[in-house]
């Protein structure tokens, strides 16, 4: 582990961030000249970003320039207006320069997708899935007191950060070599004397493994019974928007009797231009939050307070344009690309594996130069490729060629 950390530190030290200083405009310079210079600097940087995006394989994103399913220009009318979604989106507030009506539409969409009646659902659009996890643990603590957080060793690192921020004890559950949670270890470590806050992962970062929500619920029922409180949150950051459209996998992202909240990201499979997360919970789980903030004339139970209203409209526009058929097509494309990538690696006699229900291909960690070129996520001796609807199989073949050359 120390060797892996040292390797990452060495790569970072060799590739420091290049600063772009704020321009020093002269008072005698025409504003039009300044605007032209600013525009040129920004355009050059974005051109470079888009060029690098074409070859990146390690992180989930939709390349808007080659995605024909969605026209992002539709949301341009909202880009020049401050839209601050402060407060509870379901309650009317004095400050009305927000996109709460669109936010409610997005939340109702995901509540229905995940099997929660809209009249029993509450939520908001967060800045990320990590923030949504923190919100879930915050809700759990306010409802049930200082319980214990249970999380898989291979869950997203923000889960551990959330527990530290909220002052909650954390118990790490073992995972096997493919990142799958070990249920016997969960049963053994579950403390029947304390409220249990479980963060289940549907699509782990490095391997795409899926925790069995029904099995976790059975263990909670067996060990805790009805006498001890529990709260289960499903972190489906990558998978939450498309797994419900994959045959046989919808039940992994759904509200059973033990599930209290679910979150997913908007900037991954959906492709917003700003990072964001969607958090949906049962209405009763915010019953502990009754305080109304007088100067905004609203109840605010969200951790971030002020929230991005523009990205909410982007989410609404993307979901409206894609529809269920569009998301199903994206899921099919991503899975097909992942299977084709496996075939390409096997044909090249290179080790790889792909779990059912995942589009994350795990390979042996290549050289640092290749990691940097293709922006691969790494962990110890492995790296991964996240296959998206817009991932090019030609780029994967280029990666294989470079690995073989090394």
């Amino acid at each position: 582990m120390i060797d892996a950390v040292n390797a990452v530190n060495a790569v970072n030290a060799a590739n420091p961030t290049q600063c772009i200083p704020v321009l020093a405009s002269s008072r005698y310079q025409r504003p039009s000249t300044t605007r032209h210079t600013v525009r040129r600097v920004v355009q050059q940087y974005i051109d470079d970003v888009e060029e690098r995006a074409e070859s990146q394989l390690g992180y989930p994103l939709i390349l808007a320039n080659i995605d024909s399913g969605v026209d992002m220009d539709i949301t341009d009318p909202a880009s020049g207006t401050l839209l601050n979604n402060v407060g509870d989106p379901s309650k009317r507030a004095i400050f009305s320069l927000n996109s709460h009506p669109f936010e409610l539409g997005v939340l109702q969409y995901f509540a229905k997708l995940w099997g929660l009646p809209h009249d029993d659902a509450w939520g908001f659009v967060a800045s990320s899935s990590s923030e949504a996890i923190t919100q879930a643990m915050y809700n759990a603590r306010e409802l049930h007191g200082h319980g214990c957080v249970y999380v898989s060793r291979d869950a997203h690192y923000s889960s551990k950060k959330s527990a530290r921020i909220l002052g909650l004890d954390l118990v790490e559950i073992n995972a096997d070599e493919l990142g799958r949670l070990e249920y016997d270890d969960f049963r053994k470590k579950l403390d029947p004397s304390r409220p249990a806050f479980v963060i289940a992962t549907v699509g782990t970062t490095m391997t795409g493994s899926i925790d069995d929500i029904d099995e976790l619920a059975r263990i909670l029922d067996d060990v805790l019974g009805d006498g001890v409180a529990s709260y289960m949150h499903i972190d489906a950051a990558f998978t939450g928007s498309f797994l419900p459209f994959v045959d046989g996998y919808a039940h992994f992202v759904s509200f059973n009797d033990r599930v209290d909240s679910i979150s997913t990201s908007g900037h991954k499979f959906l492709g917003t231009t700003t990072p964001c997360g969607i958090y949906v919970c049962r209405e009763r789980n915010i019953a502990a939050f009754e305080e109304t903030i007088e100067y905004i004339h609203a109840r605010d139970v969200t951790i971030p307070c002020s929230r991005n209203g523009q990205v909410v409209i982007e989410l609404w526009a993307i979901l409206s344009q894609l529809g269920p058929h569009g998301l199903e097509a994206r899921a099919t494309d991503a899975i097909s690309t992942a299977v084709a990538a496996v075939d390409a690696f096997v044909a090249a006699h290179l080790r790889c594996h792909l779990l059912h229900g995942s589009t994350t291909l795990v390979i042996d960690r290549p050289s640092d130069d290749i990691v940097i070129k293709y922006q691969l996520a790494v962990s110890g001796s492995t790296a991964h490729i996240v296959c998206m609807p817009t991932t090019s199989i030609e780029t994967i073949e280029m990666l294989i060629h470079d690995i073989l050359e090394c």
Side-chain angles (χ1 to χ4, degrees), residues 331-341:
T332 301
D333 288 347
I335 291 171
S336 298
T337 301
V339 172

Side-chain angles (χ1 to χ4, degrees), residues 86-94 98 100 104 122 283 286 297-299:
V86 66
D88 184 338
S90 66
K91 308 295 182 184
R92 184 180 294 275
I94 290 294
N98 57 51
H100 282 167
L104 286 179
W122 183 88
E283 176 76 30
I286 59 167
H297 288 250
R299 177 180 64 172

Side-chain angles (χ1 to χ4, degrees), residues 258-269:
R258 279 286 190 178
V259 173
D260 294 276
S261 56
I262 301 176
S263 62
T264 192
S265 295
H267 57 285
K268 294 177 180 176
F269 212 81

Side-chain angles (χ1 to χ4, degrees), residues 43-72:
Q43 188 62 59
Q44 286 177 346
Y45 186 78
I46 295 303
D47 289 345
D48 181 56
V49 167
E50 291 182 348
E51 183 178 350
R52 283 182 274 128
E54 292 286 350
S55 62
Q56 91 82 27
L57 291 171
Y59 301 88
L61 62 87
I62 295 291
L63 297 179
N65 59 326
I66 61 173
D67 176 31
S68 59
V70 173
D71 179 6
M72 297 304 292

Side-chain angles (χ1 to χ4, degrees), residues 89-90 100-125 255 278-281 312 316 319:
S90 66
H100 282 167
F102 289 94
E103 191 168 17
L104 286 179
V106 170
L107 297 172
Q108 287 186 10
Y109 173 91
F110 279 100
K112 181 179 180 180
L113 184 66
W114 296 333
L116 186 64
H118 76 271
D119 57 354
D120 186 32
W122 183 88
F124 67 99
V125 175
F255 281 86
I278 298 96
Y279 172 79
V280 176
C281 72
V312 168
W316 180 90
L319 293 170

Side-chain angles (χ1 to χ4, degrees), residues 87 146 165 168 173 177 185 188 199 210 230 266 278 335 339 362:
H146 279 69
I165 290 171
L168 296 170
I173 309 302
E177 68 279 4
D185 192 53
K188 180 175 67 176
I199 301 176
I210 296 173
S230 70
I278 298 96
I335 291 171
V339 172
V362 182

